[in-house]
Amino acid sequence: MSEYYQLPKAYIPADTEAKWYAWWENNHLFHGKPNPDKPAYSIVIPPPNVTGILHLGHILNNTLQDILIRHHKMMGYEVSWFPGTDHAGIATESKVEKTLRQKGEPGRDELGREKFIEKVWEWRKQYGGTIIRQLRKLGTACDWERERFTMDEGLSHAVRKVFVELYNKGYIYRGQRMINWCPVSRTALSDEEVIYKEVDGKFYHIKYPLVDGSGFLEVATTRPETMFGDTAVAVHPTDERYKHLIGKMVKLPLTDREIPIIADEHADPEKGSGCVKITPAHDPNDFAVGQRHNLAMINIMNADASLNDKAGAEFAGMDRFAAREKVVAELDKLGLLTKIEPIRHAVGFSERGDVPIETLISRQWFCNMKELAKPAIAAVREGKIKFYPERWAKTYFHWMENIQDWCISRQIWWGHRIPAWYNDDTGEVYVGMEPPTAPGNWRQEEDVLDTWFSSWLWPFSVMGWPEKTEELKYFYPTADLVTGPDIIFFWVARMIMAGCEFMKEIPFRNVYFTSIIRDEIGRKLSKSLGNSPDPLDVIDEYGADALRFSIIYIAPVGMDIRYSNERCELGRNFANKLWNVCRFRQMQGGPTEYYKSLDGLDKSALTADEQWIIAKVNDVVGSVNTSLKEFRFHTAAHDIYDLVWSNVCDWFVEAEKVQFRAGGEAKERALAVVDYILFKVLRLLHPFMPFITEELAHAMGYVAEDASIMNAEYPQYNEADAEGEKIVADVDNKFAMVTAGRALRSGCNIGDNKKVKFYIRAVNEEKLAFLNSQADSLKTLLNASEVEISLADYDRSQGAAPSALSNLGTIYLPLAGLIDVEAEKVKLEKQRVDYEKWIKSSEAKLSNERFLAKAPEQVVADAKAHLAELKEKLARVNELIDSLS
RNA sequence: GGGCGUAUAGCUCAGUUGGUUAGAGCGCCACGUUGACAUCGUGGAGGUCACAGAUUCGAGUUCUGUUACGCCCACCA
């Protein structure tokens, strides 16, 4: 790594980023290990799907985690960020299947279980690391030596152990229940994997003839094709219209079956005809009715949701939607279809297949979550775990307090195979960590577990659980979790339950929910819309630091982000600004010894501007630390941005050019102060922009060749630096006066490059002394040929001059008669009216007895001071008006 | 049906416990390359803080209601 060297004119990120990332990684700077001398700080990454490729959601999420990690590392914590990937059962299985199909190779069914799984592992070896490699481009300080995969042997062991424990406790059981079935993936899903969408459907009214020929019952349904599974028609027990029919039979059209009319409160007399068809095998409500009345359950569907032979020869094998059309047509032919109404209703879709799911009865494995939820609810209720933004706790409580049994079995192959064995001869079921040793004809359960059944153990399984490792002892519980609110049920809630159950300890203390990223017109980013930029392209174009900074800067708290690539210009420009201010510093001379501390420097010699910037930087140091503690990343980014651009570059460095020109001691002192604040700024910014800050810290000689800014101390608010606060107001006022002076120039169409004379009349002796001390700085900032400062009024005999007020005094731009007196009068008159208006409202407030009585003392004092100020300024405006007439 | 969020400048958004004349970036207008930076500088225009009430000495900020948009949850045929 090169030491102090001359920076090129523009920052080129690509080389810098590659160089530093390799250097950090090769020097194991991301690795944390149990260290009794330091407090621990750990984060587990939300493991991206092994099939995943990096998208902007990952960028935001991982940048935030990286900020936390680097901040804490610089604060003196022993940090470890546990990275890894998720095996993502259904997603990966279908991905590999698709790949095989594209290559024309034998697919899943041809290969059979073992060979197919081998293929998946091969695929994973070849492509599965993509997202992990991509994350490195972003600069993430992941502890790569601890990378895990949810199907690693250790993690699989943890999964089996948890399954067996919960089975032995009676929480996990196998049973026939209503589940959600995805006809595309051909597997059961959990309730959370069903996405409800509003769709336009049709409401079919069908007549079921009474067997005795005395008439019809009309039922209404959105799913006429399920009628083959009907085993009753229900009416409300108190419904007078149908009371006499209860117990009678109706003929089920298109079949040769007769089904009973039953009385059940599920039938709502207000709705439709008040009669409802009961299909216990395909509807959760009907299932309940069926249980109450001991009705038969007829499953009429195959795994792909085509109808089976229970639907009769004519319909067997038909797709469910084709069957619907045919059923309706047949009923119409028979005169049994009375009407079709349009209806808008919510239909459950499977996330993966994007087709409507089927609810049907199936034998699956379930986990009863009721008891697991209790301590997890308490942990959040009692504040042991905090959510940011806090409101997500409501969502969490609502779900947890109504938690349902979790369907954990999946009819796929890629995943943790359920550690249950059946003995078909005896009917025995064995559940254990290892296959049964008892003699007999045992066959293992074919199903695998829901992917989340391994993810929920992630915070401790990555640390080696169930072994009692040093890592667990030191790094568990983790500190913070950063994730999207969309997986609060899937993952966050379940991790809390798993932590409480198996570790007897919460898995993390804070959960920060990120925003969702949308495109510039508010649409969700998606591949199919083509509005999802590839972050690697963005990094190529703007740089990783620019992307990181921009996305944090524009991320509103707790709301969706509107993103477009152009917005990365903000970060790129900021990086360039930082680069150039450092470059400017270098052009003034070699490094000083004061970049770490101003100790040894004669503080009494500091200029007002120097005291001012030291205090301003110190303020921001304080607020950034506070913001980060409260997960207000966006505020921190704004504070640093404003500090660097406005205070450091626009004001301080410009003002300090006076000192550089002066040379000698003044220059030496200025360089010391610049080094001091620049190194602070670089450290402050490092968690946000790791690459450029590392580069600059080395180039400027602030960090030794073999060291990293990652290990430098994060700046903290300090009292010594706050001493300059006294002078801050005066310097602020000086800068305000400069702005006013420049506006006078601009108002007279005098270019910034033309040197002109200014006259300043100070408001009093004290301000006069201050202004005199700032003469050189004023001259430079105003680009003036001369600045005359005095207590005396402006000498009108030199010709009228446009003027502006400031708290320190009145600034004039003498133009030797070039001034448009009338225009100046109009301007001043307007000011006079404004001041009078403000004074009036201020006086009204101060004469209000209730204000004086009830407002805090300080507010009243401020108001009085403000009124005095307004009056003083009004007096000056009046003088100016008089002087023009 | 229940819950949550959002509404501030042309656009995207700040505005932490209520307290001077409401801010930034982008865009727009004018001027400017005085050797850090045109990925820049200087100055400027632009807002009845969605609407209606209430509380208060004082409301962009608190409360209630309304409207619009968005999200989540819910078995309604």
Side-chain angles (χ1 to χ4, degrees):
Chain A
M1 293 295 122
S2 50
E3 268 313 271
Y4 189 85
Y5 65 93
Q6 198 62 51
L7 297 166
K9 189 167 171 179
Y11 174 52
I12 315 291
D15 296 346
T16 303
E17 293 178 358
K19 173 183 75 179
W20 286 116
Y21 201 87
W23 190 79
W24 290 330
E25 203 174 349
N26 293 338
N27 286 284
H28 308 280
L29 288 175
F30 302 151
H31 189 47
K33 37 183 179 272
N35 176 350
D37 300 329
K38 285 182 170 186
Y41 180 86
S42 61
I43 295 181
V44 292
I45 203 169
N49 284 0
V50 67
T51 54
I53 50 167
L54 203 65
H55 58 69
L56 283 164
H58 296 119
I59 297 290
L60 173 63
N61 176 261
N62 287 291
T63 298
L64 292 170
Q65 293 175 74
D66 200 42
I67 289 169
L68 289 170
I69 284 287
R70 288 176 187 267
H71 180 229
H72 281 88
K73 187 173 177 69
M74 293 176 78
M75 299 260 287
Y77 288 79
E78 181 73 23
V79 307
S80 182
W81 181 5
F82 291 78
T85 47
D86 191 295
H87 68 279
I90 299 173
T92 306
E93 189 161 316
S94 50
K95 174 94 192 173
V96 173
E97 223 185 320
K98 200 173 145 195
T99 310
L100 291 174
R101 210 179 317 127
Q102 279 168 351
K103 289 199 277 189
E105 290 181 24
R108 182 192 125 115
D109 294 336
E110 291 89 335
L111 287 169
R113 185 166 195 141
E114 250 169 69
K115 288 244 170 71
F116 179 73
I117 288 175
E118 262 174 43
K119 283 280 181 196
V120 182
W121 278 107
E122 265 173 42
W123 184 92
R124 187 238 167 193
K125 219 167 144 191
Q126 203 172 345
Y127 305 105
T130 304
I131 194 159
I132 294 301
R133 284 192 300 276
Q134 290 176 322
L135 271 179
R136 288 173 159 88
K137 293 267 187 200
L138 186 63
T140 53
C142 295
D143 194 342
W144 295 117
E145 289 155 67
R146 300 188 181 282
E147 184 182 342
R148 293 288 180 273
F149 178 54
T150 49
M151 293 225 326
D152 282 351
E153 180 42 42
L155 278 73
S156 301
H157 183 254
V159 165
R160 288 196 299 276
K161 182 171 171 66
V162 161
F163 185 93
V164 172
E165 268 189 38
L166 292 178
Y167 179 82
N168 290 337
K169 271 189 125 166
Y171 293 175
I172 284 180
Y173 64 95
R174 189 169 182 245
Q176 285 261 11
R177 291 192 38 187
M178 184 64 64
I179 51 100
N180 308 292
W181 182 265
C182 173
V184 171
S185 312
R186 301 186 191 187
T187 176
L189 301 175
S190 65
D191 296 343
E192 290 68 39
E193 285 163 289
V194 178
I195 300 164
Y196 287 91
K197 296 189 199 175
E198 283 276 315
V199 296
D200 289 313
K202 287 172 180 159
F203 207 30
Y204 302 90
H205 294 253
I206 304 166
K207 288 195 286 190
Y208 283 10
L210 284 154
V211 169
D212 62 13
S214 62
F216 302 89
L217 282 188
E218 186 181 288
V219 298
T221 179
T222 55
R223 303 281 321 267
E225 72 278 15
T226 63
M227 65 181 287
F228 299 113
D230 288 4
T231 50
V233 171
V235 297
H236 199 271
T238 61
D239 194 330
E240 293 300 332
R241 293 170 294 178
Y242 305 114
K243 230 172 175 172
H244 62 287
L245 297 175
I246 294 166
K248 292 195 171 178
M249 302 297 278
V250 292
K251 165 95 171 37
L252 187 62
L254 309 183
T255 72
D256 50 13
R257 287 196 290 123
E258 291 177 3
I259 56 176
I261 299 166
I262 59 170
D264 193 282
E265 303 199 339
H266 166 60
D268 182 348
E270 304 295 317
K271 280 211 175 107
S273 64
C275 305
V276 58
K277 69 196 264 303
I278 302 297
T279 323
H282 294 281
D283 181 279
N285 287 312
D286 295 2
F287 176 72
V289 176
Q291 297 272 299
R292 287 197 283 274
H293 298 269
N294 211 8
L295 298 173
M297 293 188 290
I298 305 177
N299 185 342
I300 61 160
M301 282 194 190
N302 297 312
D304 62 355
S306 62
L307 301 194
N308 63 25
D309 50 15
K310 292 285 195 319
E314 219 178 316
F315 291 90
M318 280 188 86
D319 174 75
R320 53 186 166 159
F321 300 116
R324 180 180 305 171
E325 297 302 316
K326 189 170 163 70
V327 164
V328 172
E330 296 290 325
L331 289 172
D332 198 20
K333 244 186 261 172
L334 295 169
L336 296 174
L337 185 70
T338 55
K339 64 175 167 180
I340 303 175
E341 287 177 298
I343 185 177
R344 201 161 166 78
H345 62 148
V347 174
F349 279 70
S350 108
E351 188 190 9
R352 193 58 50 188
D354 199 33
V355 293
I357 54 106
E358 288 295 333
T359 46
L360 46 81
I361 295 292
S362 173
R363 185 179 295 279
Q364 301 285 344
W365 290 87
F366 298 90
C367 185
N368 183 325
M369 306 300 284
K370 284 269 180 316
E371 288 304 313
L372 296 175
K374 283 178 186 167
I377 292 169
V380 177
R381 187 84 68 200
E382 291 161 11
K384 281 192 257 175
I385 296 175
K386 287 203 173 70
F387 287 175
Y388 299 83
E390 210 176 354
R391 65 185 143 85
W392 289 108
K394 261 195 176 171
T395 308
Y396 172 83
F397 289 134
H398 182 257
W399 187 74
M400 290 289 273
E401 280 157 6
N402 297 286
I403 198 161
Q404 302 296 312
D405 290 5
W406 176 13
C407 175
I408 54 175
S409 46
R410 297 290 178 274
Q411 287 67 53
I412 57 173
W413 290 341
W414 176 242
H416 301 100
R417 194 162 173 179
I418 290 176
W421 285 261
Y422 305 109
N423 187 328
D424 292 327
D425 302 334
T426 61
E428 277 174 278
V429 177
Y430 171 85
V431 169
M433 300 280 289
E434 304 299 332
T437 47
N441 198 13
W442 296 96
R443 96 189 137 77
Q444 188 174 0
E445 166 67 60
E446 295 286 331
D447 292 354
V448 302
L449 288 161
D450 181 3
T451 301
W452 298 103
F453 198 87
S454 55
S455 317
W456 74 329
L457 314 177
W458 188 248
F460 44 91
S461 64
V462 293
M463 297 184 194
W465 187 88
E467 302 307 318
K468 292 190 171 67
T469 63
E470 288 300 307
E471 280 74 13
L472 271 175
K473 213 181 294 170
Y474 187 72
F475 285 119
Y476 192 93
T478 68
D480 304 323
L481 178 77
V482 179
T483 190
D486 50 332
I487 51 175
I488 187 169
F489 308 138
F490 282 115
W491 196 47
V492 179
R494 287 175 183 154
M495 276 192 289
I496 298 174
M497 291 188 274
C500 291
E501 172 72 12
F502 301 107
M503 297 297 295
K504 304 296 171 213
E505 170 75 278
I506 54 170
F508 32 71
R509 299 195 180 86
N510 302 293
V511 183
Y512 180 83
F513 290 106
T514 61
S515 319
I516 290 171
I517 301 185
R518 297 173 176 279
D519 69 6
E520 61 266 73
I521 54 174
R523 298 175 303 180
K524 257 190 179 161
L525 299 182
S526 79
K527 254 186 269 173
S528 53
L529 275 174
N531 64 347
S532 184
D534 183 343
L536 296 190
D537 293 344
V538 180
I539 288 172
D540 280 345
E541 190 177 350
Y542 297 94
D545 285 330
L547 173 58
R548 291 169 61 118
F549 192 83
S550 301
I551 210 157
I552 299 301
Y553 188 93
I554 67 175
V557 270
M559 279 164 34
D560 296 350
I561 299 178
R562 299 234 173 163
Y563 174 89
S564 69
N565 284 351
E566 292 73 51
R567 301 195 75 175
C568 288
E569 287 175 13
L570 179 131
R572 183 198 58 183
N573 295 354
F574 183 53
N576 193 248
K577 191 73 179 174
L578 192 70
W579 183 264
N580 271 290
V581 72
C582 287
R583 203 169 137 249
F584 174 73
R585 160 64 188 87
Q586 284 194 329
M587 294 167 89
Q588 308 309 316
T592 71
E593 290 306 307
Y594 294 102
Y595 58 89
K596 274 187 190 159
S597 152
L598 289 177
D599 288 354
L601 193 75
D602 179 8
K603 294 263 183 64
S604 65
L606 292 175
T607 66
D609 295 327
E610 287 158 1
Q611 294 175 61
W612 177 85
I613 195 65
I614 290 168
K616 289 280 186 189
V617 169
N618 195 41
D619 274 350
V620 172
V621 163
S623 66
V624 166
N625 275 290
T626 306
S627 295
L628 287 179
K629 223 172 280 168
E630 295 168 0
F631 301 95
R632 286 156 47 211
F633 303 97
H634 157 278
T635 310
H638 277 256
D639 286 348
I640 299 174
Y641 182 93
D642 291 344
L643 175 75
V644 170
W645 209 299
S646 172
N647 291 337
V648 173
C649 294
D650 290 346
W651 289 114
F652 177 64
V653 169
E654 290 305 322
E656 216 58 0
K657 284 177 179 173
V658 174
Q659 311 301 323
F660 292 138
R661 275 200 300 267
E665 279 181 24
K667 182 173 178 181
E668 283 309 307
R669 192 194 56 244
L671 289 176
V673 175
V674 171
D675 281 340
Y676 180 65
I677 61 155
L678 280 184
F679 188 37
K680 275 202 179 187
V681 164
L682 291 176
R683 283 177 288 159
L684 206 55
L685 201 47
H686 179 257
F688 300 82
M689 303 180 105
F691 295 111
I692 192 175
T693 49
E694 184 80 286
E695 176 76 10
L696 288 172
H698 279 86
M700 303 294 291
Y702 299 156
V703 167
E705 195 170 353
D706 58 350
S708 166
I709 194 171
M710 278 179 76
N711 286 321
E713 194 186 331
Y714 204 69
Q716 296 297 319
Y717 185 86
N718 78 74
E719 295 300 332
D721 282 0
E723 272 179 34
E725 295 283 3
K726 299 188 288 288
I727 208 156
V728 162
D730 275 344
V731 176
D732 282 342
N733 283 329
K734 176 182 81 171
F735 292 151
M737 179 178 268
V738 168
T739 301
R742 287 167 176 169
L744 291 179
R745 283 178 95 103
S746 176
C748 298
N749 284 319
I750 298 169
D752 299 341
N753 52 349
K754 212 173 279 174
K755 286 205 191 299
V756 287
K757 181 185 167 178
F758 283 93
Y759 180 86
I760 295 170
R761 182 196 170 192
V763 287
N764 59 34
E765 291 279 358
E766 189 202 338
K767 300 305 179 197
L768 176 70
F770 174 71
L771 284 167
N772 275 324
S773 75
Q774 302 302 304
D776 287 340
S777 153
L778 285 164
K779 198 173 151 188
T780 297
L781 293 170
L782 286 164
N783 194 30
S785 56
E786 186 192 345
V787 177
E788 191 183 342
I789 304 165
S790 162
L791 269 181
D793 197 358
Y794 171 66
D795 178 6
R796 280 195 291 155
S797 65
Q798 296 181 31
S803 58
L805 305 184
S806 106
N807 289 339
L808 298 175
T810 307
I811 182 166
Y812 297 76
L813 177 55
L815 285 171
L818 288 177
I819 173 185
D820 179 343
V821 175
E822 285 312 309
E824 186 66 13
K825 269 193 199 165
V826 169
K827 187 184 86 184
L828 290 169
E829 273 300 330
K830 188 184 175 306
Q831 285 183 20
R832 189 171 65 95
V833 171
D834 282 345
Y835 280 122
E836 281 172 348
K837 189 180 74 190
W838 295 329
I839 285 169
K840 209 172 150 192
S841 85
S842 179
E843 279 174 338
K845 182 194 264 184
L846 280 164
S847 62
N848 182 337
E849 278 169 36
R850 282 180 301 181
F851 172 70
L852 295 175
K854 293 190 177 179
E857 224 172 289
Q858 189 58 48
V859 172
V860 175
D862 287 350
K864 281 182 178 164
H866 183 233
L867 177 61
E869 198 180 284
L870 288 172
K871 282 182 166 169
E872 187 274 327
K873 280 184 175 160
L874 176 64
R876 274 196 275 159
V877 167
N878 282 326
E879 276 177 38
L880 290 168
I881 292 171
D882 289 346
S883 76
L884 285 177
S885 43

